[in-house]
Amino acid sequence: MITVTEDYRNAIYAPIRQIDARVHFTLFGETKTYYDDRIIRFNIVEERETVADTLPANEISLTLDNLDNEFNLLSLSNVDQVLASRPTIEIEFGLVYDDSVFLTFYQADSDGESTEWIPMGTFYLAEWKNEREAKTITLVARDNLDYLSNTPYENTMFEGNMYQLAEDVFIKAGVTDYEIDNNLKTVITSGFKEKLDSRTALQHIGIATRSAIYQDRYGIMVIKPFEVLDASSNYLTFPTQDYYHFGSLYPLVTSGFGMRNIDFDDMYEEPEITLDKSIYSVSINIYDGEETREKSYINNEINGRYGDSFSLDNPLIVNDSMADSVADWIIKESKYNAIYKVNWRQNPALECTDVVIIEDGMNAMKQSRIYRQEYAYEGYLTGITESRGGV
C-alpha cells in the first residue's frame, strides 16, 4: 500500500471528497504537466497474478484535449522516433483538502486548498491516436513488462543464485530501476539453457521462487516472495466511519494479516462473487541434469475428484525439493478461489497484492488479496477492485 498521511486515511472514504488528477508527459527529454483542464478521461488497469501463464502488464488509456493542436503527431519533426524513444506518462491522483485541515507535507495551492498526490504508475507510450473530429488525442501506454516481452535474454553459461539471475535479466534488458528480495540469494540455479524473452524469464523466476513480479507505482521493477508481501501487511490500519469515535483509525489483525476495509458505504452495488474450482492435481516437469521427468501431486484436502488440473513446465525447477515447494504453493493458492469483484468509489492508495476485507452482502466481511484494479477518471474517480479469498 502507498504510504499516506493520517489526514488522507480519514478523508478518502468521506461522503464528500474531491479527487483531482495530473499527468506528467515526457517526450524527448522534455516533461510537461497537464491537469484537469486538459484531461478528458483516462482508465488505468493494474494487475498482478500469482500463478499464471503470463505476467500481466499494467496499462493506461489517456484522452487529452487537443483544441490547440499541441499534440498533433505529424507536427513533430522526428515522428518516426516517437514510439522508439519510449515517451513516459506518469499519473497521479490528488486528494484535495481545504485550509481548515492541518497540513503536513501537502502541496499548497493558490486558492487556499492543498493536495496530497498519490502516484498511480509510470507507463511507456505504445499507441498515439489523434481524433481529428473530436479534437482530442488518445495515448495508450504500458509498463516495463510489455517492453520486456519484446526483449530477448540469453546466458547459457550462467552459474549463481536466483537473485543474480533476475539481476542479469534486468541488466541485459537495460532496466536500471529494480528491487529484488534477498531471499532469492538462497536459491542456487544454473539459469536457462535456451534463448527466451525477458518477460518469460522473469515469470519462470517468479514461479520457481514463489514470488510476485511487477512494476510498482514509482516505476521500479520488484521481485518479492508472496510470504514477504503478506508479512508486510500485518497490523495495518483502515479508516472507519464510526462517527461516535470521530473517524479514528483502529488496527485490525485477523490470522496475522492487517486489513483494509471495503464496505457497502463505498460500493455502487453488492460485490459480484464467483467461485472457481480448486486445483485437484498438479504436474511439474523437473529438469534434473540431462533428464526431464514429471512429478504429480494430489490435493488431498478436496473431498471429491472434481477440480482443475495444473501442469507446469519451468526449466528452473531442477530437483524434487523445488517441485514439492512450488506444488504446495500452487495448491494453497488455489484455496483462495472466491473471486470478489467490487464496483466502488476506489482508493488510489490501495495496490494489487494488498490484503483487504470486503463486505459480501450476507452480513459478513471476507478477507482477500487484490489481484486486479481498474481506475476510471472523468473529473471524478470510480473503479473496480478484483480480489481472491476464502468463502
Side-chain angles (χ1 to χ4, degrees), residues 121-352:
T122 299
F123 306 88
Y124 301 91
L125 190 62
E127 301 174 26
W128 180 321
K129 183 178 181 181
N130 278 105
E131 304 283 358
R132 291 179 300 173
E133 298 299 326
K135 288 293 184 178
T136 62
I137 181 173
T138 298
L139 305 174
V140 176
R142 303 181 184 95
D143 69 14
N144 261 319
L145 284 168
D146 183 64
Y147 161 74
L148 289 169
S149 64
N150 298 309
T151 306
Y153 174 74
E154 184 176 16
N155 186 355
T156 57
M157 304 301 293
F158 181 87
E159 292 292 337
N161 56 54
M162 290 290 189
Y163 184 104
Q164 294 167 324
L165 179 60
E167 191 171 44
D168 193 54
V169 174
F170 285 138
I171 291 173
K172 284 183 166 56
V175 175
T176 57
D177 294 329
Y178 55 83
E179 178 186 340
I180 306 171
D181 193 89
N182 284 327
N183 283 297
L184 272 69
K185 292 180 179 178
T186 63
V187 185
I188 304 302
T189 182
S190 297
F192 304 100
K193 303 307 178 186
E194 297 179 353
K195 184 177 179 179
L196 69 171
D197 67 85
S198 299
R199 186 173 179 175
T200 301
L202 291 174
Q203 181 195 2
H204 287 321
I205 293 171
I207 291 179
T209 61
R210 305 177 303 284
S211 298
I213 298 180
Y214 59 94
Q215 179 179 300
D216 71 10
R217 298 278 186 84
Y218 301 95
I220 300 172
M221 291 298 303
V222 178
I223 303 179
K224 283 187 179 180
F226 276 97
E227 58 264 28
V228 174
L229 286 169
D230 287 344
S232 69
S233 297
N234 287 345
Y235 301 99
L236 298 180
T237 54
F238 69 98
T240 176
Q241 296 198 15
D242 184 349
Y243 294 107
Y244 292 102
H245 293 85
F246 306 102
S248 301
L249 297 174
Y250 296 89
L252 180 64
V253 183
T254 304
S255 302
F257 294 95
M259 302 295 163
R260 294 294 187 270
N261 193 32
I262 304 177
D263 59 29
F264 282 166
D265 288 342
D266 295 300
M267 299 180 193
Y268 297 118
E269 56 193 2
E270 289 189 13
E272 176 185 306
I273 305 174
T274 304
L275 185 64
D276 272 0
K277 289 186 291 184
S278 296
I279 291 178
Y280 173 72
S281 64
V282 177
S283 298
I284 298 180
N285 288 337
I286 301 174
Y287 288 79
D288 190 356
E290 298 299 322
E291 177 189 5
T292 302
R293 53 191 173 86
E294 183 180 80
K295 188 172 184 179
S296 297
Y297 303 82
I298 299 298
N299 183 1
N300 293 317
E301 295 187 19
I302 295 182
N303 186 19
R305 300 179 61 87
Y306 184 65
D308 281 339
S309 60
F310 190 92
S311 298
L312 181 62
D313 185 26
N314 187 329
L316 297 180
I317 299 177
V318 295
N319 54 53
D320 287 89
S321 177
M322 291 184 69
D324 293 347
S325 61
V326 170
D328 180 66
W329 171 59
I330 291 172
I331 290 172
K332 284 182 178 178
E333 285 294 321
S334 77
K335 296 177 183 177
Y336 303 114
N337 56 354
I339 300 174
Y340 299 85
K341 186 174 183 180
V342 183
N343 182 11
W344 67 305
R345 300 169 72 204
Q346 265 294 2
N347 179 355
L350 288 178
E351 298 181 276
C352 289

Side-chain angles (χ1 to χ4, degrees), residues 8 10-19 93 95 241 243 262-269 342-348 350 373-377 380-385:
Y8 179 97
N10 285 328
I12 187 60
Y13 295 137
I16 298 176
R17 68 179 185 182
Q18 179 181 339
I19 293 181
F93 283 126
L95 185 59
Q241 296 198 15
Y243 294 107
I262 304 177
D263 59 29
F264 282 166
D265 288 342
D266 295 300
M267 299 180 193
Y268 297 118
E269 56 193 2
V342 183
N343 182 11
W344 67 305
R345 300 169 72 204
Q346 265 294 2
N347 179 355
L350 288 178
Q373 297 215 91
E374 183 175 337
Y375 300 88
Y377 183 79
Y380 58 94
L381 175 62
T382 61
I384 294 172
T385 292

Side-chain angles (χ1 to χ4, degrees), residues 76-96:
L76 299 174
S77 59
N78 43 1
V79 63
D80 57 322
Q81 300 178 27
V82 170
L83 296 183
S85 68
R86 301 191 73 208
T88 61
I89 297 175
E90 298 173 83
I91 298 287
E92 293 177 298
F93 283 126
L95 185 59
V96 180

